[in-house]
């Protein structure tokens, strides 16, 4: 049943995809180019979705100075991204985080990271599609299908309906094939990038105050035991919740042309573009807001959308809201696509229940159709929780981000160990002209691990203002992650550990492995 997996640091010829070395045969449609790979990472991070969905939380918690968390998070996540770029230059494979953790650490480390990443991705898909409720009814009241928005459950129920429609769309597109997904995603990202740049420019042209606004606490944190630092750490979650998912470019590596060169560059460009353009929008929004004392700016009913509508003239604000809806759409597509590749990667290792079915690649569309449907159904089901228990849903979406940070740690941690042992990076990366950090690798890797630990603790810290009450919600990061990981490890201990190994139907033959070594 099982086949060999190449050891970390094994050689490989320039131009190969690395699949044969890992013991897998090529099954997915290798057709994605450089822009499609870049677009996958950008759309997962989604400049417009994340900034517009979470600005109100950061601003409402710590005021304008919360924006200092944006470069702080960028520096930390950039360290993680650089580690991932090195790994993508060697192993650009579906379900990258899972496979990297497995190769660098151990089978149980890999499985745990994959399980956390998979469950988090499904919840993240549910959370992203809820952003439609923040934008569509603003465009046209007809999108408020349930009531008029004033009823107790109007907002939440309508959000679930709009979100379910979006999930049905992403399921259909992803099931049809990677070419259609890439076409829609790339087109959407093109629109999103242009819109984001124009929003930043127009906001900048309407500034009413100078940068000194970011150098004052404006009274936030007064009365707190830790002063402004207390509220700043809470507000930093708004930035931490946005800048992740850049690994998607590598997770689509089995469908990318020349992935060992393309994926690392796509990861770098995705996080840089998101930081620069997203940061410009946030900074100029604060500087151009007509009245920073307006309570709607720090409310989910107002937020960044509210500032844009105030600053933009005529119908222009509505046009940009349409662009935000486009951004939410391609973000949903990318999150769904990444979850499908992770499911496929784990299933072909028989690391999930019903592995053979989940790993089946449709011969016509050359894509795993069953995972697309299963993930769509699960994400839609999770959405229903939002109707009657929105606080629990908020907790679930928050811990999903923490689980992704933990999954990243299960890569950067073992990678640091390999580096200290002298087993990383492989010499062939530098010799063949692939990306490598060289002498900077060790300090960057150390910082990436320390950052991951610190950010995970900050995200998980039991705060009623984030997680609410009662105690099991306040401590939700520990309670719910413990339950999710515990249930997964129970399956692993009872059944999984005895059956994990590449399914024979997906294993590379000696001919496949020989071909993968060819330049």
């Amino acid at each position: 049943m099982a086949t060999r997996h190449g050891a970390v640091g094994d050689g490989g010829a320039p131009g190969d995809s690395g699949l044969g070395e890992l013991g897998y045969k090529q099954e997915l449609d290798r057709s994605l180019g450089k822009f499609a790979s870049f677009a996958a990472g950008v759309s997962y991070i989604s400049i417009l979705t994340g900034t517009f969905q979470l600005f109100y939380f950061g601003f409402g918690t710590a005021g304008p100075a919360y924006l200092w968390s944006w470069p702080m998070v960028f520096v930390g996540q950039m360290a993680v991204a650089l580690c991932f770029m090195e790994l993508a230059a060697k192993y650009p494979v579906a379900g990258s985080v899972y496979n990297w953790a497995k190769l660098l650490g151990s089978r149980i480390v890999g499985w745990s990271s994959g399980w956390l990443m998979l469950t988090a991705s499904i919840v993240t898909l549910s959370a992203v599609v809820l952003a439609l409720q923040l934008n569509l009814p603003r465009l046209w009241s007809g999108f408020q299908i349930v009531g008029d928005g004033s009823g107790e459950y109007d907002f939440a129920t309508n959000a679930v309906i709009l979100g379910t429609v979006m999930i049905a769309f992403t399921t259909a597109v992803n099931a049809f094939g990677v070419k259609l997904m890439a076409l829609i995603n790339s087109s959407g990202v093109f629109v999103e990038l242009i819109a984001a740049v124009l929003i930043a420019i127009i906001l900048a042209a309407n500034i009413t105050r100078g940068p000194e606004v970011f150098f004052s606490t404006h009274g936030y944190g007064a009365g707190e035991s830790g002063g402004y630092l207390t509220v700043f750490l809470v507000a930093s979650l708004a930035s931490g919740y946005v800048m992740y998912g850049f690994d998607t470019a590598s997770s689509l590596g089995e469908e990318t042309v020349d992935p060992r060169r393309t994926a690392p560059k796509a990861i770098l460009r995705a996080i840089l573009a998101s930081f620069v353009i997203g940061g410009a929008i946030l900074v100029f929004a604060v500087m151009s807001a007509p009245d920073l004392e307006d309570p709607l700016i720090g409310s989910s009913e107002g937020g960044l959308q509210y500032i844009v509508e105030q600053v933009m003239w005529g119908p222009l604000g509505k046009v940009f809201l349409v662009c935000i809806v486009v951004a939410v759409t391609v973000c949903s597509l990318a999150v769904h696509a990444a979850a499908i590749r992770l499911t496929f990667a784990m299933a072909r290792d028989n690391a999930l229940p019903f592995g053979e079915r989940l790993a089946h690649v449709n011969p016509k569309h050359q894509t795993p159709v069953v995972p697309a449907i299963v993930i769509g159904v699960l994400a839609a089901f999770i959405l229903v929780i939002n109707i009657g228990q929105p606080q629990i849903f908020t907790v679930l979406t928050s811990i999903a981000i923490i689980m992704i940070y933990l999954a990243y740690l299960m890569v950067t941690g073992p990678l640091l160990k390999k580096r200290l042992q002298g087993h990383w990076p492989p010499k062939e990366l530098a010799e063949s002209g692939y990306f490598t950090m060289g002498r900077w690798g060790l300090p960057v890797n150390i910082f990436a691990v320390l950052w991951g630990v610190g950010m995970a603790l900050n995200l998980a810290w039991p705060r009623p203002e984030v997680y609410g009450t009662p105690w099991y919600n306040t401590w939700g990061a520990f309670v719910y992650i413990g339950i999710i990981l515990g249930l997964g490890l129970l399956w692993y201990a009872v059944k999984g550990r005895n059956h994990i190994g590449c399914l024979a139907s997906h294993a590379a033959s000696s001919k496949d492995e020989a071909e993968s070594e060819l330049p």
Side-chain angles (χ1 to χ4, degrees), residues 95-107:
S96 293
V97 169
Y98 157 73
N99 273 302
W100 294 339
K102 176 186 67 181
L103 289 165
L104 296 166
S106 63
R107 191 165 65 176

Side-chain angles (χ1 to χ4, degrees), residues 283-427:
V283 168
F284 292 133
V286 172
M287 293 173 70
S288 64
D291 180 14
L292 289 181
E293 299 297 323
D294 191 331
L296 276 176
I297 295 179
S299 165
S300 61
E301 297 175 2
L304 196 51
Q305 291 92 329
Y306 179 62
I307 295 176
V308 169
E309 287 177 322
Q310 284 185 307
V311 172
M312 302 297 177
W313 54 88
L316 203 53
K318 298 292 184 184
V319 172
F320 285 120
L321 284 179
V322 171
C323 294
I324 296 170
V325 172
V326 171
V328 173
T329 301
V330 295
C331 181
S332 304
L333 266 177
V335 173
H336 201 153
I340 291 168
R341 273 68 190 174
L342 178 55
T343 304
F344 166 73
M346 295 184 72
R348 79 176 158 193
D349 276 355
N350 208 26
L352 291 174
F354 311 107
E356 194 73 63
R357 294 291 299 276
L358 288 171
H360 176 70
V361 176
N362 183 282
K364 180 180 179 181
H365 301 296
Q366 288 184 270
T367 195
V369 174
V370 175
I373 297 171
V374 171
I375 290 166
V377 170
L378 290 174
F381 176 76
I382 291 171
L383 271 180
V384 178
I385 298 174
N386 188 60
I387 297 177
Q389 297 290 337
Q391 185 57 51
I392 290 180
F393 187 85
T394 300
V395 173
L396 288 175
T397 54
S398 297
I399 66 169
I401 313 302
I402 301 169
M403 289 194 290
I404 291 174
Y405 274 81
L406 291 175
Y408 284 3
L409 262 175
M410 292 182 188
V411 174
T412 56
L415 178 63
L416 177 58
K417 181 180 178 182
K418 290 290 183 184
R419 209 182 289 274
L420 290 170
Q421 292 172 337
H423 298 158
W424 188 269
K427 291 183 180 178

Side-chain angles (χ1 to χ4, degrees), residues 49 53 122-132 379 382-383 393 397:
T49 302
Q53 194 172 15
I122 296 172
V123 174
T124 299
L125 176 58
S126 302
V128 170
V129 298
L130 283 181
L132 292 172
I382 291 171
L383 271 180
F393 187 85
T397 54

Side-chain angles (χ1 to χ4, degrees), residues 100-285:
W100 294 339
K102 176 186 67 181
L103 289 165
L104 296 166
S106 63
R107 191 165 65 176
I108 190 169
V109 171
W111 187 88
S112 298
S113 69
W115 176 247
L116 287 176
M117 193 80 181
L118 179 56
T119 51
S121 297
I122 296 172
V123 174
T124 299
L125 176 58
S126 302
V128 170
V129 298
L130 283 181
L132 292 172
Q133 179 63 29
L134 298 176
N135 298 286
L136 285 178
R138 289 174 181 265
L139 287 169
W140 178 48
S141 59
F143 283 118
Q144 185 62 45
I145 302 167
V146 179
D148 60 2
S150 60
E152 183 180 1
Y153 297 113
D154 287 2
F155 189 88
T157 305
N158 200 70
V160 170
I161 294 173
L162 295 177
T164 301
V165 171
M166 177 59 74
I167 289 172
F169 170 75
T170 60
T171 300
V173 171
N174 276 299
F176 192 81
V178 72
K179 288 180 180 177
L180 178 61
M181 186 280 293
L183 176 62
I184 296 173
N185 197 56
S186 296
S187 301
V189 166
F190 184 72
V191 171
E192 179 178 3
L193 290 175
I194 291 176
V197 171
L198 288 176
I199 288 173
I201 291 173
I202 295 173
L203 288 172
N206 288 274
I207 59 174
T208 59
R209 60 186 61 83
E212 66 276 359
V213 70
F214 302 109
F215 294 89
S216 171
T217 64
H218 297 277
Y220 288 89
E224 298 285 347
S225 58
Y228 186 75
L229 179 62
T230 300
V231 294
F232 177 79
L233 289 175
V234 175
S236 67
L237 272 59
S239 299
Y241 283 7
V242 176
M243 222 172 293
Y244 67 94
F246 38 80
D247 55 290
T248 305
S250 180
S251 206
L252 290 169
E254 292 182 36
E255 295 149 282
T256 303
V257 177
D258 195 12
R260 295 182 65 186
R261 298 190 191 280
T262 301
K265 292 177 182 177
I267 291 172
L268 177 63
R269 290 166 181 164
I271 192 169
L272 281 177
S274 300
F275 167 68
V276 173
I277 302 174
I281 290 175
L282 293 171
V283 168
F284 292 133

Side-chain angles (χ1 to χ4, degrees), residues 7-21:
V8 174
D10 285 353
D16 78 277
S17 65
L19 271 185
E21 183 183 326

Side-chain angles (χ1 to χ4, degrees), residues 18-40:
L19 271 185
E21 183 183 326
L22 293 171
Y24 303 126
K25 65 180 180 181
Q26 178 67 46
E27 297 176 88
L28 304 179
D29 181 11
R30 192 177 291 282
S31 60
L32 300 184
K34 294 179 180 179
F35 186 79
S37 179
F38 160 74

